[in-house]
Amino acid sequence: MAAIDARDVPADPVSEERLSASGLEYRVVDMSDPDQRRGFARADARGFLDKEPDDEMIRLMGEMMRERRNLGVYAPGADLPVATVDSWVTPMTVPGASGASIDMWAISAVTVAATHRRRGIARNLLEGELRAAASAGVPVAGLTATEATIYGRYGFGPAVPVSQLRVDARRAGGISLPAADDVTVEYIEPEDLIAALDEVHERARLDRVGDVPGWPLRWRRMAGRVPGDDRASHVRGVRAVDADGVTRGALAYTLDELSDEFAADLAIRHLDAETPEALRALWAFAVNHDLVRTVHADLRPVDDPLPWLVANQRAVQNTVHDHGWLRILDVPAALAARTYRAPLELVLRVSDALGLADGSWRLRIGSDGRAVVEATTDAPDLVLGVDALSSLYLGGVSATTLHAAGRISASAEVAAAVQDAFACAVAPALTIWY
């Protein structure tokens, strides 16, 4: 796990001063205080259009949030914050040997009350998080976004695209599995599903570039075991077990009965597998399920093999969308933390309006895939913003595509060389929201 505890980092003094000038208090929330915990949880639910949390939900959220750095913005005399954000430092898998990772400042629970929009609150929340992360020596920040037009202005770039899949199960023609797979799929009870989702994800993420660890409340939600979940009674779970009896995959899903016929739509809440055999078995379970008309899944890797598993690829609709956003804070540390697929030497000039990652560096990648990054005053071969560099970082976004879009300034040959070096054999993936 990460060596840095975000809870040890105080509120950013720049944002604190700016918000104070507007008559607002910006401070760390004490989650051990019942009133502060309740206020934060209620504001978080309000910001994401969720139902008012009951006492049990507040308790569960408090358990999770006590492991994080929570900040609120308060109007004078108010107990309920008008804005929230929380953060923690977590390992994110990067290209390299199994388990290679970098410390990432994960940002979540970013909300601003509808009564306090357009007052610079979100700006101070986000910039405050980035300054805090940089001051703590964390080289990269990340988030998942409910809105795609907000975070680019703070230097974030979409780095991990994902697929939303819809399968017409009746047209798909089924999935046939090789006899050698030797994987058994079996139903499991909700508490066992929670454990299986956690267990499989923690192993699988070590080889999945861009992914991060989950947490207990995440898996309880996926298994339908949190208060106020209207779909809780609809959640079912299965696991894929190998010949040695080891759980290698887990699937949480719901079935929604159709009003016009005796059939249902199957919606996947979470699908995780650490072996190709387990993945194929779980997809076969879903697509071949009796009386199912369509199968829906989101947060799938863009190179998910599903279209190649079914007999009729036209039965699979694949919508790619942004999901994991990254923001590099320390260029040398970030670039040196991963390995690369081809040698490369160039000078890159990075612009950063906040000044956190602004500068010029010579990047030397050897035949072993390791990088050495040094500050330089030499003329650049590649000029780009920190948002574009952050998008390129994990290899999930093409340098030649960004070059064609005018997002990086370089020759076509340099863009192609960057793509060859930064690309990954397997697409990055981020299988959870945070």
Side-chain angles (χ1 to χ4, degrees), residues 181-184 241-248:
D181 276 3
D182 201 16
V183 172
T184 302
V241 180
D242 68 15
D244 296 321
V246 178
T247 300
R248 298 298 185 183

Side-chain angles (χ1 to χ4, degrees), residues 323-360:
H323 181 50
W325 291 64
L326 293 182
R327 208 289 189 187
I328 290 177
L329 302 168
D330 184 331
V331 173
L335 294 181
R338 58 156 293 182
T339 60
Y340 301 83
R341 288 175 59 83
L344 178 70
E345 182 171 348
L346 55 75
V347 173
L348 63 155
R349 173 73 180 93
V350 181
S351 59
D352 181 355
L354 295 182
L356 301 172
D358 199 84
S360 294

Side-chain angles (χ1 to χ4, degrees), residues 225-239:
R225 306 300 282 181
V226 297
D229 184 350
D230 295 335
R231 306 293 298 152
S233 63
H234 294 254
V235 179
R236 292 182 171 90
V238 295
R239 64 183 173 192

Side-chain angles (χ1 to χ4, degrees), residues 185-237:
V185 175
E186 57 188 32
Y187 287 102
I188 50 178
E189 296 298 323
E191 293 302 320
D192 293 326
L193 176 60
I194 294 170
L197 291 170
D198 185 11
E199 173 190 349
V200 174
H201 179 83
E202 183 56 27
R203 291 199 301 261
R205 73 166 184 85
L206 299 176
D207 294 304
R208 198 155 51 205
V209 170
D211 223 338
V212 299
W215 52 92
L217 185 57
R218 165 73 189 181
W219 307 127
R220 290 182 65 88
R221 285 185 186 276
M222 293 301 98
R225 306 300 282 181
V226 297
D229 184 350
D230 295 335
R231 306 293 298 152
S233 63
H234 294 254
V235 179
R236 292 182 171 90

Side-chain angles (χ1 to χ4, degrees), residues 57-134:
M57 191 66 232
I58 291 171
R59 184 189 69 79
L60 290 172
M61 291 180 68
E63 289 180 357
M64 175 186 72
M65 290 173 175
R66 279 198 291 271
E67 302 301 316
R68 302 181 179 184
R69 175 182 182 268
N70 306 279
L71 290 101
V73 177
Y74 293 82
D79 294 324
L80 194 70
V82 299
T84 64
V85 65
D86 73 16
S87 49
W88 66 102
V89 182
T90 187
M92 177 182 67
T93 306
V94 296
S98 179
S101 67
I102 190 172
D103 279 353
M104 181 185 75
W105 187 275
I107 300 171
S108 187
V110 181
T111 75
V112 178
T115 54
H116 285 70
R117 297 175 68 248
R118 309 299 182 194
R119 302 191 189 185
I121 295 175
R123 173 193 170 196
N124 281 291
L125 287 180
L126 269 298
E127 291 185 0
E129 289 299 305
L130 296 177
R131 285 189 290 266

Side-chain angles (χ1 to χ4, degrees), residues 261-272:
E261 61 176 300
F262 192 75
D265 288 338
L266 190 153
I268 292 174
R269 284 194 160 198
H270 190 87
L271 167 60
D272 227 329

